[in-house]
Amino acid sequence: LCQRIVAMALPRKTPAYYVVAVLLLKFMGLHSQSSARPLNGIDSTYTNPVIPGVNHPDPGVLLYNGTYYAVTTSGDAQDIFPILVSTDLVEWNQVRFVWPNGTGSPAWAKSDFWAPEIHWISDTQFNLYFAARHIDGTLSVGVATGPSPLGPFTATAEPLVHTPGMGNIDASFFLDQATNTSYLIWKRDGNGHFPPVPTPIFIQPLSRDGLTREGNQSQMITNDQRWEGPLVEGPWLIFSEVESMYYLFFSANGFTSPKYAIGVARSVTVVGPYTKFEGNPIISSNIDPPAGEGFQGPGHCSVVVSPNSKWCVVYHSWMQGKVGGSNPRVMLVDDLLWNSTSRWPMLHTGGTPSYTPQPFP
């Protein structure tokens, strides 16, 4: 048996206004501009991908005041980091770029703008965490700050994590409300080293404004399971009040491979030690879907609470048979459920992305 996670199980990085926003969305029957959701507030269905045919890798999703903000990898595109908005996780509109035409981008960064996330610090401060290649050639973690989820974002003069000769990518942020302590979470890019080395995911306290690392870093996990291949990456941390556990979602294996997939680990403390789920991965490629249907290589997720007060995973994937190259990584949304016995999360489909009509999240 599985249980639905309701608003009382919101992650601990959730301010009080987040809870209010979720409840308002649930009980006021807010709907998107699309005719996909009837105006009477009764949920209709949607089908993945939620943004067909458009490249939106590594979606980082924030819920603030009833609106979801997604920001995605832009690579070496002239316009850096598209920002999309939605009220229901299904109908998305791109409203701007973080740094259009590169204007305002950090002086220390020259290329490879990857895996951005926007996080609430206060109602007047929002931080953008991201990876980019330093002018010395090293992949590094950066941070920029702005007055709203739409910016404008001003980058700090130097990267937040920079280790010459060893890349660092896939930054995330977590506010532990138990101690009111902010944390940076990121991956050491050991698979990009020559010769390749392990790719631990670290966590380290931050200053309250989220702009400076403090204290010591701790290793949460590393790639030590066969299915993970050469790497683990793409961390996203939540706290579930119901389970009284911290859950670390991560991706593993190469992102250009159909073996790319999402796993989960958990701990009773924010810094660990973390224990990986024996049933990993919890999201992997569809097996033998009908021709033209299904997805391969799903990964790099955000886990957020939906308008219907359910945990949802927002992630990217290749379309079936179109892995790598110039093919887009499209954005998907699916419900998560918690097993009532093991207390581990799983995809509502049982472990592969949905590609048939589903109820709105």
Side-chain angles (χ1 to χ4, degrees), residues 50-361:
V50 292
I51 308 177
V54 182
N55 192 45
H56 281 300
D58 312 324
V61 180
L62 166 74
L63 173 59
Y64 177 69
N65 280 354
T67 298
Y68 296 92
Y69 298 84
V71 61
T72 63
T73 283
S74 57
D76 291 336
Q78 189 173 23
D79 295 314
I80 299 173
F81 298 147
I83 302 177
L84 306 96
V85 298
S86 175
T87 58
D88 57 18
L89 293 172
V90 172
E91 300 294 336
W92 293 90
N93 294 302
Q94 184 175 319
V95 293
R96 62 162 297 166
F97 293 92
V98 170
W99 294 306
N101 200 32
T103 302
S105 62
W108 60 261
K110 67 176 184 177
S111 62
D112 297 323
F113 288 85
W114 297 347
E117 294 182 6
I118 297 170
H119 289 277
W120 176 91
I121 304 300
S122 72
D123 284 342
T124 58
Q125 182 183 345
F126 295 81
N127 285 359
L128 172 80
Y129 296 91
F130 61 95
R133 193 170 298 278
H134 195 276
I135 54 177
D136 70 5
T138 306
L139 286 167
S140 303
V141 169
V143 61
T145 186
S148 84
L150 298 178
F153 288 98
T154 301
T156 56
E158 299 293 335
L160 188 56
V161 185
H162 178 65
T163 310
M166 176 61 71
N168 295 276
I169 64 171
D170 290 358
S172 191
F173 170 91
F174 181 77
L175 174 60
D176 187 7
Q177 292 189 352
T179 60
N180 199 35
T181 302
S182 300
Y183 292 89
L184 179 72
I185 305 169
W186 77 98
K187 168 208 174 182
R188 177 172 290 170
D189 197 42
N191 57 293
H193 188 268
F194 185 80
V197 295
T199 62
I201 291 176
F202 293 115
I203 186 169
Q204 185 172 355
L206 289 167
S207 57
R208 186 62 188 90
D209 63 6
L211 301 178
T212 306
R213 288 189 292 160
E214 298 180 341
N216 298 317
Q217 67 186 41
S218 302
Q219 179 176 303
M220 304 175 83
I221 61 170
T222 192
N223 54 313
D224 55 13
Q225 305 293 313
R226 187 169 184 176
W227 75 272
E228 296 166 348
L231 60 89
V232 290
E233 62 186 14
W236 185 276
L237 186 63
I238 68 169
F239 181 84
S240 171
E241 294 279 359
V242 173
E243 278 70 39
S244 296
M245 287 273 189
Y246 297 87
Y247 288 87
L248 175 68
F249 296 83
F250 63 94
S251 298
N253 220 296
F255 79 91
T256 58
S257 167
K259 294 181 180 179
Y260 200 55
I262 295 172
V264 65
R266 70 185 180 189
S267 174
V268 295
T269 65
V270 66
V271 297
Y274 279 81
T275 301
K276 294 176 181 176
F277 178 37
E278 291 182 356
N280 278 338
I282 62 169
I283 308 177
S284 57
S285 297
N286 294 113
I287 299 173
D288 297 326
E293 303 286 351
F295 304 94
Q296 289 181 292
H300 206 119
C301 69
S302 298
V303 178
V304 296
V305 175
S306 78
N308 288 322
S309 303
K310 298 179 289 185
W311 284 114
C312 283
V313 56
V314 184
Y315 57 112
H316 77 236
S317 183
W318 306 99
M319 301 295 293
Q320 184 76 20
K322 298 180 179 180
V323 178
S326 61
N327 294 305
R329 282 176 283 170
V330 292
M331 197 160 80
L332 316 182
V333 177
D334 277 303
D335 288 349
L336 282 176
L337 302 172
W338 259 248
N339 184 286
S340 59
T341 302
S342 70
R343 319 313 300 173
W344 285 104
M346 63 181 185
L347 208 62
H348 71 110
T349 59
T352 58
S354 69
Y355 57 84
T356 58
Q358 303 293 319
F360 266 62

